[in-house]
Amino acid sequence: MADWSPTAYLRYTDERSRPFGELVARVVRDPSSIVDLGSGPGHLTPVLRERWPAASFVGLDASPAMIERAREGDPQGRYELADVRDHAAGRGPAAEADLVISNATLQWVPGHRDLLPALAATARQTFAFSVPGNHDAPSHRTLREVAGREPYASVVGHVERRAVADPADYLEILAEPGWSVDAWETTYTHVLDGDDPVLRWISATGAQPVLHALDDHDAAHGTDLRARFDAELGADLREAYPRHPWGTPLAFRRVFVVATRTA
């Protein structure tokens, strides 16, 4: 997949940041070192610094564009290009830390549930993460439906349903002797402004693989599939998420886990 767009991702900064604040609030230990897996453009680093100002910090992300944006915005911070799977294997620029935390990243890692014990093992005190739990919401069902139509289906292929586990499933994976696990879910109802806000929301995240495939095809063949796809998807999303005088409500489910060492 082509690289991420920090500008598009940051369009709804406040809404995307709320789950991270809730996750951080449930961490009970005070770390002296922190690794943020999937730190993105660095917009959430101030949340960690405010809570633990004395802790050292490393932000890891697999997107060169995100790392570049983070370094530009926070030249005093440390941001490194790295893959979650390498971190789980003990490779990379930050092998372990007191707190290993991740926000809206693990759902992009194939087989992320199998990696969780190894990721937890890199945390000396706490392993905490949140993942979107909205992959069966109208936004993502509509995305898969439109991408399954021709002429798009021949270009993008099968659109994976990046389903995450329920809180109870993560609890079962991580509730080993020596660990205390707090797992829960929250559904936010964001009120989005402007035209086609749900299209803009998912275009910066869940729809990225589809949109990159269409962009590549247009560039190679001189077609306009991306514009046609945006028009069809936008129309269907407007029907699924009606606009009101006060904005467009978007229900967004998140799953959270905080695993703390007890021994």
Side-chain angles (χ1 to χ4, degrees):
M1 190 176 79
D3 206 355
W4 289 79
S5 168
T7 301
Y9 184 81
L10 291 171
R11 186 171 287 140
Y12 294 106
T13 301
D14 291 343
E15 292 85 356
R16 296 192 195 279
S17 299
R18 283 183 62 189
F20 193 69
E22 185 174 348
L23 180 67
V24 167
R26 299 282 277 269
V27 175
V28 297
R29 304 282 293 274
D30 289 325
S32 60
S33 56
I34 302 171
V35 167
D36 184 358
L37 299 176
S39 54
H43 62 301
L44 297 176
T45 305
V47 178
L48 297 171
R49 288 195 177 128
E50 182 178 359
R51 177 76 187 274
W52 299 292
S56 63
F57 167 83
V58 181
L60 306 181
D61 205 284
S63 163
M66 289 292 194
I67 290 295
E68 180 180 359
R69 179 67 171 266
R71 289 172 176 171
E72 289 175 355
D74 181 20
Q76 303 304 315
R78 181 185 172 195
Y79 300 92
E80 303 288 349
L81 192 65
D83 188 278
V84 168
R85 290 163 292 192
D86 288 337
H87 181 80
R91 300 187 297 268
E96 61 180 23
D98 290 343
L99 169 62
V100 175
I101 194 165
S102 180
N103 181 65
T105 295
L106 298 183
Q107 77 277 5
W108 291 103
V109 181
H112 77 275
R113 288 183 239 188
D114 295 333
L115 286 179
L116 293 179
L119 289 173
T122 68
R124 290 188 289 261
Q125 294 179 353
T126 308
F127 173 49
F129 67 90
S130 75
V131 287
N134 65 331
H135 294 89
D136 287 323
S139 57
H140 288 64
R141 292 202 309 268
T142 302
L143 170 66
R144 294 192 292 269
E145 179 185 337
V146 176
R149 302 171 188 165
E150 292 298 347
Y152 316 118
S154 298
V155 174
V156 305
H158 173 69
V159 179
E160 182 180 356
R161 175 181 174 273
R162 296 183 181 275
V164 300
D166 290 328
D169 298 318
Y170 288 127
L171 174 66
E172 185 172 354
I173 293 171
L174 292 171
E176 299 290 339
W179 289 91
S180 172
V181 180
D182 182 11
W184 74 98
E185 65 178 75
T186 298
T187 298
Y188 301 90
T189 302
H190 299 307
V191 179
L192 307 181
D193 295 326
D195 297 328
D196 287 326
V198 180
L199 174 64
R200 286 186 281 121
W201 177 284
I202 69 169
S203 292
T205 53
Q208 286 276 293
V210 172
L211 300 182
H212 286 314
L214 295 174
D215 285 338
D216 289 346
H217 185 276
D218 286 347
H221 300 280
T223 53
D224 63 347
L225 290 186
R226 167 67 187 272
R228 293 167 58 186
F229 181 83
D230 282 348
E232 286 190 42
L233 180 59
D236 287 359
L237 289 174
R238 287 193 296 274
E239 183 176 346
Y241 295 90
R243 184 176 181 178
H244 299 269
W246 36 265
T248 302
L250 171 68
F252 196 96
R253 176 177 176 258
R254 287 273 190 156
V255 177
F256 300 82
V257 178
V258 175
T260 306
R261 288 189 186 271
T262 60

